[in-house]
Amino acid sequence: MTAVTNANAAGHGTIRLVPNCNYDFTTAAETGTRGGDALPIITGNITIVGGPSTHIRRTGGGPFRLIEVAAGARLDVVGIFIEGGDAGVFPGGAILSARGTIVLKSVTVRNSTADNGAGIASDSGSLILILTLVEKNTTRHPNGFGGGGAGIYNDGRLETDQSRITRNTANTSGGGIYNEQGGTARLVQTTLDENTARFEGGGLLNGPGGRALLVRTLVKRNTASDGGGIFDRPGPGTVTLVGSLVTANNPNNCRPVGSIPGCS
């Protein structure tokens, strides 16, 4: 997309997409060390505005994600459906941040696949979701391993506000969110529901070194082999609930027993 290339060259810019328009991609515009991307990698401070009903979609061709943000860069996206990405054996099916900053407002990220972070992967970056939906994303890997964080993988800074992570499926752990390795996740007025993990943490998997704070957040009807709602792996890291409800998850709500105060 020429507009992205020009904004990168200028170091900043706002790109306004056409309402009720589909921006469909069948080939990658750029290929980096973590697979191909539909758009040129974001290297500046760029805002992309769409809506109503503006879509950025992968509609065929080989595996490639839709958007990647480089270290030190920032991308704000407003009012766009981002869907159908496929990063193959790499992270970030729809969106990948490699130590960059991403802010999504009134955005839907859906129907994407990757090894981990099928919807969004934040690799030591900052990810902020406002009024945003992350749904129906699926992790997979040819050898059957990997595959964590179907909705979101985070080992940086994650903040959500009035958002929903739903109906994502992980072939290992963390159906909705996988937070680890020093990652901080602050979920405010957010719903994690109907996500599925093959192993642990249907709604949320908090790995060693991860810290998760859930404020007025609902974790409901998620499924995993253990910790259907939330699984907090042993090691440095904590999960804290403030005015939040973890309920009706399968086969249980929180594990290990007693690891998350206020959740049974």
Side-chain angles (χ1 to χ4, degrees):
M1 181 182 271
T2 303
V4 175
T5 300
N6 292 340
N8 279 335
H12 61 88
T14 297
I15 300 168
R16 298 189 181 277
L17 302 184
V18 179
N20 303 301
C21 184
N22 297 328
Y23 293 82
D24 293 341
F25 296 86
T26 57
T27 59
E30 187 168 340
T31 300
T33 58
R34 294 189 175 188
D37 301 280
L39 301 181
I41 296 173
I42 305 297
T43 58
N45 187 341
I46 295 175
T47 299
I48 302 178
V49 180
S53 196
T54 301
H55 297 253
I56 295 176
R57 310 185 301 187
R58 173 186 164 274
T59 56
F64 60 90
R65 77 177 56 80
L66 295 164
I67 297 172
E68 181 175 348
V69 179
R74 173 173 172 139
L75 174 66
D76 289 65
V77 182
V78 182
I80 297 177
F81 292 84
I82 302 172
E83 53 195 332
D86 182 354
V89 299
F90 298 102
I95 302 172
L96 170 65
S97 169
R99 299 181 299 281
T101 297
I102 298 173
V103 180
L104 306 180
K105 184 175 182 181
S106 301
V107 169
T108 294
V109 178
R110 66 186 181 192
N111 298 334
S112 295
T113 61
D115 174 40
N116 60 75
I120 308 169
S122 179
D123 181 359
S124 302
S126 293
L127 174 62
I128 300 171
L129 277 58
I130 303 166
L131 297 167
T132 285
L133 174 65
V134 180
E135 68 168 354
K136 299 180 182 178
N137 302 288
T138 305
T139 60
R140 56 165 170 66
H141 193 283
N143 64 14
F145 298 101
I152 298 170
Y153 173 85
N154 175 63
D155 59 20
R157 168 179 164 248
L158 168 65
E159 295 190 8
T160 70
D161 187 6
Q162 300 180 73
S163 294
R164 186 180 182 191
I165 296 100
T166 182
R167 291 179 285 178
N168 302 286
T169 302
N171 77 329
T172 56
S173 299
I177 298 173
Y178 196 125
N179 181 63
E180 67 166 353
Q181 295 182 6
T184 61
R186 185 174 186 268
L187 316 180
V188 178
Q189 291 184 262
T190 291
T191 298
L192 280 72
D193 68 314
E194 299 185 40
N195 301 288
T196 302
R198 181 181 174 189
F199 298 134
E200 301 165 337
L204 167 66
L205 186 286
N206 192 62
R211 290 177 294 150
L213 171 64
L214 283 65
V215 180
R216 301 188 301 280
T217 284
L218 176 64
V219 182
K220 185 176 182 179
R221 292 196 301 272
N222 302 283
T223 300
S225 64
D226 199 15
I230 303 173
F231 195 96
D232 186 18
R233 283 185 176 160
T238 59
V239 177
T240 303
L241 307 179
V242 178
S244 294
L245 180 63
V246 184
T247 185
N249 298 285
N250 182 40
N252 41 47
N253 289 318
C254 297
R255 287 295 186 271
V257 174
S259 64
I260 303 171
C263 184
S264 58

